[in-house]
Amino acid sequence: MWAVSTLTLLVLAGLLPAFQLQSADGDSLTRTALTAAWAAGAFGLLTALVWPLLVRALLLVPALVLGLLSFFLNGSLLLFALWLIPDGRGAADPETAVVVAAVMSAVASATSTALAVRDDEAYRRRLYRLTGRTRPRDPGSGSAPGTVFLQLDGVGHAVLREAVDAGLMPTVAGWLEDGHRLTGWRTDWSSQTGASQLGILHGSNEDVPAFRWYEKDTGRLMVSNRPASAVELQRRAVRRTGDGGLLTLDGASRGNLFSGGADEVALVLTVAARRGRRNRSRAGYFAYFADPANGVRTAGSFVNEVVREVLQSLRARLRHETPRVPRGGTYPLVRAFATVVERDVVVAAVMGDMLAGRTAVYADLVAYDEVAHHSGPRGRDTDQVLRRLDRAVGLIATVAEHAPRPYRIVLLSDHGQSPGETFEGAYGLTLKELVRAGCGLPVPRRVRRTRSGAEARDAARDALRSALHRPVDPGGEHTGELPARPSEPIVLASGNLGLVSFPDVPHRLTREEIDRRHPALLRALAQHPGVGFLLVASERHGSVVLAADGVEVPVAELADGEGPLAVFGPGAADAVRRTDGFPHVADVMVNSMYDPATGAVHAFEEQIGSHGGLGGEQTRPFLLSPPELSPPVPEGAEPVGAEQVHRVLRRWLGEGGEGPQVPVERRAGVPETSLPEGKTESVLPAEGAAVPDENR
């Protein structure tokens, strides 16, 4: 390694005018080679001894910044190494030093890989170094196998099958040929990571009606990927089940929203909400970036991904591809973080967990979900992401062969994605604007010019005048004064699922109460062509589903294959019935239309690949399990809901002789899930509180 590094410095000194390894008068080749060897040795020692200290000191820096700083920190170490050369024979401009250091780290990493390729023990030592480990940990369970659960966020059952058939995922294809079982499962009505992962890891996603919702009793806006909300959701699930989660016995949680009860966590949102010594959520960053070659490689890939996104977005605009959503601003950086930094750090953490011999590991790779939101579930953009995910899975499988215990790798997803133009793109107004128009509240002039907005406003005006027994004058204005308006509704979006809440009323409003307050609202929503159905409470029927043409079906009478939910497929009626019983269900739950011929839905957010409600592939994720594990469900059946998937995974852990069997009340290690001191959840009303969240 020292010899290769020395040769690399000599070559770079010959190629780069601003980099020198000679005195001003020139040196012999032997003297220059000795100078290069000195610089290479000093740089190697600094990299081994000083770099980890720099990374640990910068752990509070956002991971995105830390990755980009790798280039400049590495260049600084090289400048210091050149300064250590006797007689001042080494010199470089700062910009050149960054380039030289990056090349040195890349060459060192490639050389290390090449030297280890035919030597299992050398390869194993390199893996331990790359993952920040010094030696294997005794698993404490003999030869009992461990289990790794890899969540490919947002990859639906159909997308996975098509990717395998198209040759995009050779690792997965090989597993299927070897007898792995591919099973589809059905999500709950809330088909998004917050609900699915909470149910999978903690066994309960009760009272999670959407990705974001308003709670009247606390005044909180709950958003699944906000740290304080995630902490509260995990606390409620643990209290409800009386168990710490799937990973309570020697488990590790990587890149997830929730810990699953694991003692080892990295990049976990519920831990990120805490402050102090117990916050280990950034441990994965240190283990990964402690090797400068990792930092340089990831930073280079990050820049490459930003450029790729800019070019792909430009191509979509030039080709006038539809549907299309804006992809500017910070989105290229967000995409690069999800597809490069998060992937690399999580994969390295999982490798370290296997080399440590941990019993159960659950990791989330979010790359596909992030790209599919803006590029659509299918296409060249997502095909590239699927290829890279397959390579990551293959690398993890290779490392498993060097672990101190055998491992079973289970692939699964938390939901799929359904394509379609956004609600605003199709109809010229947002769901919030349609609700305001239906309530007779002020809306932008742009909305008043759309057919939907005009119809909703006219209906609201006429209904209110009729209720007040006021005549309508020829000029279209009412006579007299209107009563004081109630508070404005809170309208939230979770993919193609919308939620409407009236915060001034402490209980769940019924249909009759809503009609008295806003006579045209429910009719304007139910009759809109972009809306599939509404769920609302009723004084006469308990709760009802409303749809176009005056369709009204009590929730108790809903059945698969008939009525307004027939088009949404099997299980839709049960999913709606279950959500209707949640304490924090919204006053009005709005599910967009679904076209079974195209699989399209209309997201109430700026997403052309969406999930969150009912309709199409978003509700059809997958489970891919090795043949040594029992079938997830009897032949001809499929798991229904994230809670049943949790029971399947728990059973599989038990089949290895291990399992999360320690009740939470007897585990001192269960993370404290109360909010940090001085931290509170956001209280509504607050304009613009529900901002778009990407990691879903």
Side-chain angles (χ1 to χ4, degrees):
M1 290 291 296
W2 193 355
V4 170
S5 298
T6 300
L7 181 60
T8 301
L9 282 179
L10 288 171
V11 172
L12 291 174
L15 295 176
L16 301 174
F19 176 46
Q20 65 177 34
L21 294 171
Q22 296 179 329
S23 64
D25 299 330
D27 288 321
S28 66
L29 180 60
T30 302
R31 179 63 183 177
T32 303
L34 289 174
T35 301
W38 182 284
F43 183 65
L45 287 175
L46 289 171
T47 298
L49 301 177
V50 178
W51 179 270
L53 300 179
L54 291 175
V55 173
R56 188 173 293 280
L58 292 171
L59 278 183
L60 293 180
V61 174
L64 178 61
V65 177
L66 179 60
L68 295 177
L69 277 177
S70 299
F71 279 113
F72 304 104
L73 292 175
N74 223 16
S76 300
L77 289 182
L78 180 71
L79 286 174
F80 187 62
L82 295 177
W83 179 78
L84 293 175
I85 297 176
D87 303 324
R89 281 182 162 81
D93 293 340
E95 300 86 353
T96 305
V98 171
V99 175
V100 173
V103 174
M104 289 278 289
S105 296
V107 170
S109 179
T111 304
S112 176
T113 302
L115 293 174
V117 78
R118 292 183 178 274
D119 185 338
D120 284 349
E121 188 57 35
Y123 183 69
R124 190 176 292 109
R125 286 197 302 270
R126 180 174 183 271
L127 290 176
Y128 280 116
R129 185 175 69 254
L130 289 177
T131 55
R133 298 206 60 80
T134 56
R135 60 184 182 276
R137 182 179 64 96
D138 181 11
S141 54
S143 60
T147 308
V148 175
F149 302 106
L150 294 178
Q151 177 179 303
L152 305 186
D153 205 300
V155 179
H157 180 271
V159 167
L160 183 77
R161 174 58 72 182
E162 292 170 12
V164 168
D165 293 341
L168 301 176
M169 306 186 77
T171 301
V172 176
W175 287 357
L176 289 172
E177 292 175 359
D178 292 341
H180 281 55
R181 298 183 186 88
L182 178 59
T183 306
W185 63 279
R186 295 204 307 266
T187 67
D188 305 285
W189 187 1
S190 181
S191 54
Q192 46 87 22
T193 302
S196 292
Q197 198 177 86
L198 185 66
I200 292 171
L201 288 177
H202 288 280
S204 173
N205 59 3
E206 184 77 12
D207 201 21
V208 182
F211 180 75
R212 51 175 71 85
W213 68 96
Y214 174 68
E215 297 189 344
K216 292 186 175 185
D217 54 344
T218 63
R220 288 179 178 175
L221 172 65
M222 301 291 287
V223 183
S224 298
N225 68 353
R226 287 183 179 173
S229 296
V231 166
E232 177 62 17
L233 292 178
Q234 180 171 314
R235 183 191 67 80
R236 294 175 184 178
V238 170
R239 183 179 59 189
R240 190 175 294 115
T241 62
D243 181 86
L246 186 72
L247 308 174
T248 52
L249 180 61
D250 191 30
S253 180
R254 311 299 187 186
N256 301 310
L257 296 180
F258 310 102
S259 73
D263 290 322
E264 291 295 324
V265 293
L267 283 66
V268 173
L269 196 65
T270 53
V271 181
R274 297 201 302 266
R275 296 293 181 266
R277 296 178 58 187
R278 286 184 56 80
N279 186 347
R280 302 189 302 275
S281 68
R282 292 185 178 271
Y285 289 121
F286 175 76
Y288 183 76
F289 287 110
D291 186 333
N294 287 344
V296 170
R297 182 173 58 252
T298 295
S301 298
F302 181 92
V303 174
N304 183 62
E305 187 70 12
V306 170
V307 173
R308 177 184 289 116
E309 162 55 27
V310 171
L311 293 177
Q312 289 175 347
S313 177
L314 179 61
R315 184 185 65 216
R317 290 199 303 271
L318 292 176
R319 293 182 177 181
H320 302 288
E321 295 178 1
T322 56
R324 190 174 70 249
V325 293
R327 292 161 61 173
T330 61
Y331 171 67
L333 301 178
V334 173
R335 167 175 165 167
F337 179 82
T339 58
V340 175
V341 180
E342 196 268 355
R343 178 202 63 199
D344 289 352
V345 172
V346 168
V347 168
V350 172
M351 290 162 51
D353 291 328
M354 291 189 298
L355 294 174
R358 303 205 181 282
T359 299
V361 182
Y362 194 103
D364 187 10
L365 299 172
V366 303
Y368 173 86
D369 190 61
E370 179 58 52
V371 175
H373 278 316
H374 295 79
S375 300
R378 290 175 175 82
R380 184 182 303 180
D381 297 7
T382 48
D383 286 351
Q384 293 174 347
V385 175
L386 290 170
R387 286 193 182 95
R388 294 197 293 269
L389 284 177
D390 185 80
R391 288 198 292 269
V393 172
L395 176 61
I396 289 172
T398 300
V399 172
E401 299 172 2
H402 298 271
R405 69 193 301 173
Y407 273 95
R408 308 164 301 186
I409 300 177
V410 175
L411 289 187
L412 73 158
S413 59
D414 50 344
H415 55 77
Q417 290 247 13
S418 295
E421 189 173 10
T422 67
F423 186 84
E424 183 178 12
Y427 303 106
L429 77 172
T430 65
L431 176 64
K432 180 177 181 179
E433 290 166 342
L434 177 61
V435 169
R436 289 181 62 85
C439 293
L441 298 172
V443 294
R445 183 175 301 176
R446 156 187 70 79
V447 173
R448 295 198 296 268
R449 289 197 295 262
T450 66
R451 177 178 178 181
S452 301
E455 290 178 348
R457 281 174 56 82
D458 291 344
R461 181 194 61 192
D462 295 342
L464 183 57
R465 289 168 181 164
S466 175
L468 294 173
H469 302 288
R470 300 291 173 86
V472 178
D473 65 61
E477 298 296 335
H478 68 275
T479 58
E481 295 186 4
L482 295 176
R485 285 175 177 158
S487 66
E488 297 187 4
I490 295 171
V491 183
L492 303 172
S494 295
N496 74 318
L497 178 63
L499 296 85
V500 183
S501 298
F502 296 91
D504 61 319
V505 180
H507 61 271
R508 181 184 179 189
L509 280 176
T510 65
R511 175 189 180 178
E512 292 78 7
E513 289 174 314
I514 295 174
D515 284 342
R516 286 193 291 269
R517 292 164 61 105
H518 304 292
L521 175 60
L522 295 180
R523 184 175 61 188
L525 290 174
Q527 291 293 127
H528 194 281
V531 172
F533 67 91
L534 314 176
L535 170 67
V536 63
S538 170
E539 295 173 1
R540 296 195 313 167
H541 302 291
S543 291
V544 294
V545 165
L546 306 178
D549 301 323
V551 172
E552 177 180 342
V553 180
V555 167
E557 299 176 11
L558 290 173
D560 284 338
E562 58 185 64
L565 302 187
V567 70
F568 294 94
D574 288 337
V576 170
R577 234 187 318 268
R578 178 173 184 259
T579 301
D580 180 59
F582 289 170
H584 292 114
V585 63
D587 292 327
V588 185
M589 301 285 289
V590 186
N591 202 99
S592 88
M593 57 73 65
Y594 166 59
D595 183 353
T598 63
V601 300
H602 290 317
F604 299 121
E605 304 175 84
E606 283 196 339
Q607 297 172 351
I608 58 174
S610 67
H611 55 89
L614 293 173
E617 296 178 10
Q618 63 182 316
T619 61
R620 291 283 296 169
F622 72 89
L623 276 171
L624 181 65
S625 56
E628 57 265 30
L629 294 175
S630 61
V633 289
E635 187 175 353
E638 63 179 2
V640 177
E643 294 180 0
Q644 185 174 358
V645 173
H646 170 86
R647 293 191 291 270
V648 171
L649 302 191
R650 184 177 285 261
R651 166 160 51 87
W652 285 345
L653 287 178
E655 290 174 3
E658 307 288 350
Q661 302 166 351
V662 183
V664 65
E665 56 266 23
R666 287 162 48 191
R667 282 189 77 249
V670 173
E672 174 61 46
T673 55
S674 59
L675 292 179
E677 184 176 355
K679 294 287 184 179
T680 59
E681 190 60 273
S682 58
V683 178
L684 289 183
E687 184 66 26
V691 296
D693 297 286
E694 303 297 341
N695 183 12
R696 296 178 43 203

